[in-house]
Amino acid sequence: MIRFLTAGESHGKALTVIVEGFPSNFVLTEQYINQHLQRRQLGYGRGGRMKIETDTAEILSGVRFEKTLGTPVSIQIKNNDWVNWTDKMTAGKKKGKIEKITVPRPGHADLVGVTKYNFDDIRNSIERSSARETAARVAAGSVARRFLEEFGIFVGSFVESIGNVYPDENFLTELLSNKIAAKFNAWRLAEKADKSAVRVLEKRQEEKIIELIKKIKKKGDTLGGTIVTVATGVPVGLGSFVHYDRRLDTDIAAAIMSINAVKAVEIGSGFTSAESFGSESHDEIVIRRGAITRKSNRAGGIEGGISTGLPIVVRSAMKPIATLMSPIETIDLSKYKKVMARRERSDFVAVPACAVISESMLALVLAKHFLLKFGGDSIEETKDNFNSYIRKLDKRIKKNFKTGK
Ligand code: EPS
């Protein structure tokens, strides 16, 4: 069973993550993790922090000579900014007077955080609720995606919209129509998106979005957007319908929704299907080149909580970042009086980064369900189990239904 736990404050010494439950003997390097950490740092519209940090993974345990040991993998990512925060964030004694934050930002965890944890300084709440923590999730997700690659499973994503700027031709439509090539690899999609400053697939859309970001930056405002996250090569049979908590879609929705600022998650044609006829909503089952498949993929690769073998397609919505340079109304908790929200260094747009984090969370969920089904303490054992299942799939159906007799 895959488990992972992150630790670390945004301006503390470091972020740490322990990932556990992966088999031994598959290749895992710091360079591989760093590649994904760097992807998370990109995107036009990020704030000053990303200029300070060069997120770099240090593997502390669980790997020997570039191969996993089957033991907990622990990874550390140092915060470069720590040197500027040592006095303000020390675990030791307070030295001198440290200014307290008393004005909560609407939409952030500031007010609920101090209320729940009984703090007299909003800083205590900001530090862990910051999206900085997602760097540790991407490190954990890199272990999962490296593992999945061993089985030809790839994850990728693209930004569908920022603000209200959508593409002329939405690749999501193509994904849901199942008209994409059988060999389509979600990582290629990610690589294509990575070439864009805002991780979109259309040049014209990219230009419009950059214009829009320039405009809102001047006003001190922020923007959200929508993201499409895809996994390809997922075999039929991950997840289950037998209990609510064994459904693959349950775990995917929770994992994507857990990402800071994500407010909606949709699988396949999701909300659109609610306003369509049944005859237009489902994927007709057909035989192509001797194999069972679906005409379309409106289900987004999941039926009855179980993967169908078609690409897993997840769409999510990220709200605009809650830290605004042109602040909105709030109160000062030390005066119980109306004030305008505090300004704080932040991103104007973080949708491209959110897409990379979504890939990581999807990879972790898929790896969990993959290992629940196929098990194995070493990658060799997992491969044996996987291959025996895959090889016999069609044969089993034909035998059970006495096809051709
Ligand atoms: C982030 C680090 C943070 C923010 C951002 C994401 O660093 P700092 O607070 O020092 O600027 O840039 O976090 C938020 C938008 C937020 O609201 O917490 C990161 O590493 O991704």
Side-chain angles (χ1 to χ4, degrees), residues 10-11 40 46 49-50 81 105 108 129-132 134 321 323 344-347:
S10 181
H11 304 97
R40 194 200 72 96
R46 298 303 299 273
R49 182 73 185 270
M50 288 306 107
D81 211 10
R105 294 163 294 174
H108 219 292
S129 62
S130 162
R132 177 96 196 114
T134 59
I321 301 273
T323 313
E344 169 130 351
R345 174 184 66 196
S346 183
D347 301 320

